[in-house]
Amino acid sequence: MTQSATKNIFTQPLPPLQAPQPESQKPEKAVARTALVISITIFFAGILYLASLGFLDNSEEFRRSIGIAGLVFLLTGSFGLIINAGFLKEKYFARISLLIGCIQFALMIAAFTTNGAIPVLGSIAFLTILLIGNYFFSGPRATLFVLLSLFSGLAVILAGVFSPFAQSNSLIFTLFWSGILIAEAVIFTRFIITGQIARLLRMKIFFISITISLVPLLAMSGFAFSFQQNLLEEKSKNYVELAANNEAEKINAFIDSNLKNLNQQSTLTIFGDFLELPISKRNGSPQLEELADTIETLSQSSEQKFLKSYGVIDANGLVVYDSYSPVTGAFEADQDYFRISYQLGEAYISSINFLLYPLDSSEIIFSAPIKNKSEEIIGVIRMRYSADVFKSLLQTSAMEFGDQSFPLLIDEFGIRVVDNLHPDANYRPIKPLSSFMLSKLQHENRIPVSYRPEDPFFNRVIEQVIDDYKTSPYFSADVNPDQNTNKEIGYVIRLDNVPWYLVYVLDETFASQQLAQQANNMTLVISIFIALAGLLSLGIARYISAP
């Protein structure tokens, strides 16, 4: 009985062994789910890029590149959704390859237009293709996807570094792609822990080798980038200080040369000879003719375009001669330039005067005492300049240190003499004026006649940096909040001969562009090293796992 039972057990046929399913028979739902998530992500990236046009204030070229990128994302995402709906459903490997092509294309478009996230986009390309290849395939195909992921990441970074399009540094794009990268890193870590990826010894060796290579490389890269950033910040400070000093020197040199020249010109004997003539003998005298010729000659040696007139004032404050004849006979004894030059015997530059006619025209006056042979002051010579001369001195160099640099000249009353940041604000105060101060400035003609207290040209930031210049002439602040979200760096200098301030402002975009260029170059070098390290790690993994 026992023998029969035993015999039956050993003679019964064994159940057929089930052959391992080929990779192409793996669950279609997993592939469809992956394609769906990626397609939706690309689709929403397109919506984000197009929506950003509503609040990004940039050039037309920049907005055009962002718009094209958004349309490409929408089309690529839609195409991925079509694939997921059934296109190439039976062709498993071809379907995944096409999906990876869409990913690669979308990420390269993003790198073309998003400068602030180039390393992130390259990492996304690497991780996405690595995840797909090693999750759905094994054996030679898994190795193929490792190579594909390395070169895809490098291709995306190359696209960003050498992009022919205007690129965005917008924080919203960087945050979006950084979020995608973090999500992929979490998924990748989970797959490693659960053993769903790197199932083969070769892949395990590869991941260990490349991790050992990347950790010190990335650490050194972070240190080098931080060093470069600090170096560039210091360079920017030196740069803006040098630019501010150069601009201030132009104003100082103009004022110094006119004060010295006028002081020397006042010693010419013709001025004393003419003033010592009796009033009744001045008209038609040889001295008057010589005086006119002398002043005409002196006018040729000055800034002819902005020089309004030369005048001679006697001891009583009466203009006895002026190259602009309607002014001859005017009484100017109550003017500060006459009183200071006559009473103190010094060359002088006045504050800016605003005239009623032409409306809001402005002038600045240089004066010097006229002495006789006995060194007694007998009159004053004065020279009237249009205050627009300062605009000319600063305008030619406004673009010298980059198209985002702006010199501002502020007088002792807080009135902008020159504002290349907001030209419409020229001759407007940087802060609200009290009723008393406004009345005083209007009475003394120190503010334009057309000025009204409701003028929207106040800038409390400029006011603050001027107040703080003694403790810290260098500043970093949002001087121009209406234009962009970038801060500006700048430097404040007080001029030598007048209590005015020159504020030199440089948009940090200028420095950021240099930093971004250095970051791109470093990213490119690091990416090449990573690709080489990956190839080397893969070679080591193949060699060790071959037996």
Side-chain angles (χ1 to χ4, degrees):
M1 190 74 180
T2 305
Q3 184 177 3
S4 175
T6 305
K7 182 177 180 181
N8 290 336
I9 291 174
F10 283 100
T11 56
Q12 287 179 356
L14 293 173
L17 293 175
Q18 293 185 356
Q21 292 184 349
E23 294 173 355
S24 59
Q25 300 301 317
K26 287 189 176 181
E28 186 70 25
K29 289 184 179 180
V31 181
R33 186 167 56 250
T34 303
L36 180 63
V37 171
I38 293 174
S39 300
I40 291 175
T41 302
I42 295 173
F43 187 84
F44 275 102
I47 294 176
L48 174 68
Y49 272 64
L50 292 177
S52 68
L53 295 176
F55 55 85
L56 289 179
D57 185 16
N58 296 96
S59 65
E60 189 62 31
E61 179 187 4
F62 176 85
R63 293 172 62 85
R64 190 184 304 116
S65 66
I66 292 295
I68 292 173
L71 291 175
V72 170
F73 281 136
L74 286 178
L75 292 175
T76 306
S78 301
F79 186 58
L81 292 173
I82 292 173
I83 295 174
N84 187 63
F87 183 57
L88 292 177
K89 184 175 181 181
E90 291 77 20
K91 299 181 180 179
Y92 182 78
F93 185 77
R95 182 179 181 185
I96 291 183
S97 300
L98 190 57
L99 178 64
I100 288 175
C102 291
I103 296 169
Q104 178 75 8
F105 182 61
L107 291 174
M108 289 187 71
I109 290 296
F112 274 136
T113 56
T114 310
N115 184 49
I118 292 176
V120 175
L121 291 166
S123 301
I124 291 174
F126 172 76
L127 268 183
T128 304
I129 298 174
L130 192 65
L131 279 169
I132 291 175
N134 282 273
Y135 182 73
F136 291 111
F137 298 100
S138 61
R141 283 186 175 179
T143 304
L144 175 64
F145 277 95
V146 171
L147 292 172
L148 184 60
S149 65
L150 287 171
F151 288 107
S152 295
L154 184 60
V156 170
I157 289 172
L158 287 173
V161 172
F162 299 105
S163 172
F165 304 110
Q167 291 177 293
S168 167
N169 285 310
S170 176
L171 181 61
I172 188 171
F173 296 150
T174 303
L175 290 176
F176 175 81
W177 292 116
S178 297
I180 300 297
L181 178 59
I182 291 172
E184 287 194 347
V186 170
I187 295 172
F188 183 78
T189 304
R190 179 178 175 274
F191 283 175
I192 288 288
I193 294 172
T194 59
Q196 293 177 277
I197 199 168
R199 295 180 295 272
L200 298 178
L201 176 62
R202 178 180 300 174
M203 291 297 100
K204 292 179 180 178
I205 296 174
F206 167 76
F207 285 123
I208 293 172
S209 301
I210 198 169
T211 301
I212 293 173
S213 303
L214 291 185
V215 169
L217 179 62
L218 293 177
M220 291 178 61
S221 302
F223 174 78
F225 181 75
S226 177
F227 177 78
Q228 288 289 336
Q229 186 176 14
N230 294 334
L231 188 65
L232 185 59
E233 288 177 359
E234 189 64 29
K235 180 181 176 182
S236 298
K237 288 184 179 181
N238 296 333
Y239 172 89
V240 76
E241 182 179 356
L242 175 63
N245 279 290
N246 286 342
E247 300 304 294
E249 183 58 30
K250 294 177 183 179
I251 306 298
N252 285 327
F254 169 75
I255 294 174
D256 285 342
S257 63
N258 277 286
L259 289 173
K260 291 177 181 178
N261 291 340
L262 195 61
N263 213 17
Q264 292 177 354
Q265 293 164 9
S266 67
T267 61
L268 295 175
T269 56
I270 181 58
F271 295 118
D273 293 345
F274 182 77
L275 288 176
E276 289 184 330
L277 278 177
I279 297 177
S280 59
K281 294 183 179 181
R282 289 175 181 173
N283 288 336
S285 65
Q287 288 87 347
L288 176 61
E289 184 177 348
E290 183 182 354
L291 178 67
D293 291 341
T294 300
I295 287 181
E296 183 179 357
T297 301
L298 294 176
S299 300
Q300 299 300 322
S301 62
S302 302
E303 297 279 348
Q304 188 69 21
K305 179 180 178 181
F306 298 99
L307 179 65
K308 300 177 75 172
S309 74
Y310 260 89
V312 178
I313 308 172
D314 66 13
N316 297 316
L318 186 69
V319 181
V320 296
Y321 180 83
D322 198 287
S323 59
Y324 180 60
S325 56
V327 180
T328 302
F331 185 73
E332 299 181 359
D334 59 340
Q335 300 298 320
D336 55 352
Y337 53 84
F338 174 79
R339 288 186 288 103
I340 291 176
S341 289
Y342 186 77
Q343 295 174 8
L344 301 181
E346 297 176 353
Y348 177 74
I349 175 175
S350 73
S351 299
I352 293 181
N353 295 312
F354 293 91
L355 308 179
L356 183 61
Y357 182 82
L359 183 65
D360 285 349
S361 60
S362 56
E363 65 179 22
I364 193 162
I365 298 175
F366 295 89
S367 62
I370 299 174
K371 300 178 181 180
N372 59 16
K373 295 178 182 178
S374 301
E375 292 297 314
E376 297 175 346
I377 297 176
I378 58 175
V380 170
I381 182 174
R382 60 116 174 90
M383 189 168 50
R384 298 167 59 234
Y385 266 99
S386 168
D388 290 342
V389 66
F390 297 112
K391 294 181 187 176
S392 176
L393 290 171
L394 295 179
Q395 182 180 12
T396 54
S397 59
M399 302 300 175
E400 185 175 346
F401 294 95
D403 58 359
Q404 299 296 321
S405 57
F406 308 96
L408 291 83
L409 189 61
I410 314 294
D411 73 5
E412 68 269 38
F413 305 113
I415 309 295
R416 298 172 175 90
V417 180
V418 179
D419 189 342
N420 284 327
L421 188 62
H422 297 103
D424 294 338
N426 284 328
Y427 303 130
R428 295 295 189 267
I430 60 174
K431 60 182 178 180
L433 302 172
S434 65
S435 300
F436 172 77
M437 180 58 70
L438 179 59
S439 299
K440 182 177 182 295
L441 294 178
Q442 288 175 336
H443 177 73
E444 296 175 356
N445 299 321
R446 303 303 189 199
I447 196 167
V449 178
S450 64
Y451 172 73
R452 298 293 179 269
E454 60 270 15
D455 279 358
F457 291 114
F458 302 132
N459 195 320
R460 291 299 183 93
V461 178
I462 295 294
E463 177 191 0
Q464 188 63 45
V465 299
I466 290 176
D467 290 341
D468 297 340
Y469 95 97
K470 287 185 179 179
T471 56
S472 178
Y474 175 83
F475 65 88
S476 175
D478 192 2
V479 177
N480 190 20
D482 297 336
Q483 295 297 319
N484 51 51
T485 58
N486 296 322
K487 284 187 176 182
E488 288 80 23
I489 58 176
Y491 198 84
V492 183
I493 295 179
R494 191 179 189 274
L495 300 185
D496 294 339
N497 291 297
V498 287
W500 296 0
Y501 299 90
L502 187 134
V503 181
Y504 195 89
V505 177
L506 178 66
D507 195 322
E508 281 193 343
T509 303
F510 182 76
S512 298
Q513 288 173 350
Q514 296 187 21
L515 183 62
Q517 184 60 44
Q518 291 185 3
N520 287 346
N521 294 339
M522 190 175 297
T523 300
L524 178 60
V525 173
I526 293 171
S527 301
I528 293 174
F529 274 108
I530 289 175
L532 293 176
L535 291 175
L536 181 62
S537 299
L538 192 60
I540 293 172
R542 287 172 61 91
Y543 177 77
I544 294 176
S545 63

